[in-house]
Amino acid sequence: MVYVNLKSITEPVGIIRIMAVIITCMCFSLMASVKPDSSPYWGWCMFTWIFCCFFTLLILILEFTTVSTKVPFAWEDFTAAFAILSSVLCLCASIMYPTFFSCSTCYRQIGASVVSWICFALYFAEVVLTRLRPSGQNSGFLSTLPGIMKMLESLFACLIFLSLESGQYSGSPALNWCVAVYSLCFIFTIAIILVTVGNLTIYFPFSFDTVVIVYNVLAAVMYITAMVVWPLSSFHNNKRPVGCGNLCAWDKLVLITVMTVFNSIVYTLDSIYSILLVFFLSSE
């Protein structure tokens, strides 16, 4: 039986979600009112705000109609994970959009940038409120530290793919290795998330936690090699061109380097934490 739950929109989290829907709608409306850009970063920012707006509205509707109580997965875990993901996405968009597409006389772009920071603040506030729930309510994978790190690993990989161009690595075995690292790690990270969230680990004839530990260590080592190889190979005898504008191919190489460093750190922390969790903390 479905009934209306007014409490879902009158609680602090519900009010924050309503504000987030309005503000994200303002973001992509301001962005859409400006001439579209062919840059993948422009598309990423637009996707971020539309994605956050749509799914926040969907969460509000499902909780208001109590349909959320009938979904076949942990609803609290899903909403907590979505708030974390949205806050990170909005943070990236808030840095990326004004950096590449704003100027001192671009008033609508400036407005979209300011509103995007408000979006980030709202989703971050939701994360804080959901994490302050009584102990035991957020027991799902995505709202735990390993789940958060897996989402960060996937997000940083997406930003790397966003910046990759075939001309950057074609003909270079070293750079091809880096692209293979980015692709393989992304695929296996997404697979781990889906298997864990879908509660499919019980069908494995061996310890899934051990598999994850082995994968995390291998991914960390592979990313560390990419962290060294990518900048050495891509910037060797390749200084920033004089005529390089606000966003050129050389800048994308820098962004890939930075995201590779970030992901190397996250994979390393993920490896250390998973080893501690399985072999030391679980025994206690």
Side-chain angles (χ1 to χ4, degrees):
M1 181 179 179
V2 176
Y3 61 91
V4 172
N5 180 19
L6 290 174
K7 190 179 178 181
S8 65
I9 60 173
T10 55
E11 289 182 333
V13 172
I15 295 170
I16 287 175
R17 287 171 181 163
I18 293 172
M19 294 174 62
V21 171
I22 297 170
I23 298 298
T24 49
C25 184
M26 289 175 59
C27 269
F28 70 75
S29 297
L30 284 167
M31 190 177 179
S33 67
V34 184
K35 182 181 178 181
D37 195 287
S38 59
S39 167
Y41 302 115
W42 189 93
W44 175 266
C45 294
M46 178 64 84
F47 163 78
T48 293
W49 295 324
I50 293 177
F51 171 83
C52 293
C53 181
F54 173 79
F55 276 97
T56 305
L57 180 61
L58 181 64
I59 288 171
L60 281 169
I61 293 172
L62 294 180
E63 289 198 346
F64 182 70
T65 58
T66 66
V67 175
S68 59
T69 60
K70 297 173 174 57
V71 295
F73 51 84
W75 180 255
E76 297 294 342
D77 180 43
F78 168 75
T79 54
F82 172 76
I84 295 169
L85 178 62
S86 297
S87 61
V88 177
L89 285 172
C90 287
L91 176 62
C92 293
S94 300
I95 296 171
M96 191 181 297
Y97 188 71
T99 301
F100 296 142
F101 307 108
S102 187
C103 63
S104 58
T105 57
C106 305
Y107 301 113
R108 279 177 287 185
Q109 289 93 328
I110 293 172
S113 304
V114 172
V115 175
S116 182
W117 279 107
I118 298 174
C119 291
F120 164 69
L122 289 171
Y123 283 114
F124 184 76
E126 183 182 346
V127 171
V128 172
L129 288 176
T130 53
R131 300 305 296 180
L132 289 177
R133 286 171 177 160
S135 178
Q137 287 193 18
N138 286 327
S139 57
F141 172 72
L142 292 177
S143 58
T144 61
L145 187 56
I148 293 170
M149 285 193 284
K150 282 287 175 281
M151 288 192 293
L152 286 176
E153 291 159 5
S154 302
L155 175 61
F156 290 147
C158 287
L159 292 175
I160 289 173
F161 295 141
L162 203 67
S163 306
L164 279 175
E165 295 178 356
S166 59
Q168 294 170 338
Y169 55 87
S170 58
S172 172
L175 294 180
N176 282 327
W177 161 256
C178 296
V179 175
V181 169
Y182 303 145
S183 303
L184 289 172
C185 291
F186 176 74
I187 292 170
F188 281 105
T189 298
I190 293 297
I192 289 172
I193 292 174
L194 294 177
V195 168
T196 308
V197 172
N199 295 321
L200 301 177
T201 57
I202 58 174
Y203 298 107
F204 280 75
F206 43 79
S207 173
F208 186 73
D209 290 337
T210 304
V211 173
V212 172
I213 290 173
V214 172
Y215 162 72
N216 286 340
V217 172
L218 286 175
V221 172
M222 291 168 68
Y223 251 97
I224 289 171
T225 63
M227 180 179 66
V228 176
V229 170
W230 181 268
L232 287 178
S233 299
S234 58
F235 295 117
H236 181 64
N237 295 328
N238 181 23
K239 294 183 179 180
R240 193 174 195 271
V242 178
C244 186
N246 192 37
L247 179 60
C248 64
W250 195 90
D251 294 330
K252 293 180 179 180
L253 295 176
V254 175
L255 184 58
I256 293 171
T257 303
V258 173
M259 291 299 108
T260 302
V261 172
F262 284 168
N263 237 2
S264 300
I265 294 171
V266 177
Y267 272 110
T268 302
L269 293 175
D270 197 2
S271 302
I272 295 171
Y273 186 79
S274 59
I275 291 171
L276 290 174
L277 191 65
V278 173
F279 294 108
F280 297 97
L281 298 180
S282 61
S283 62
E284 296 178 3

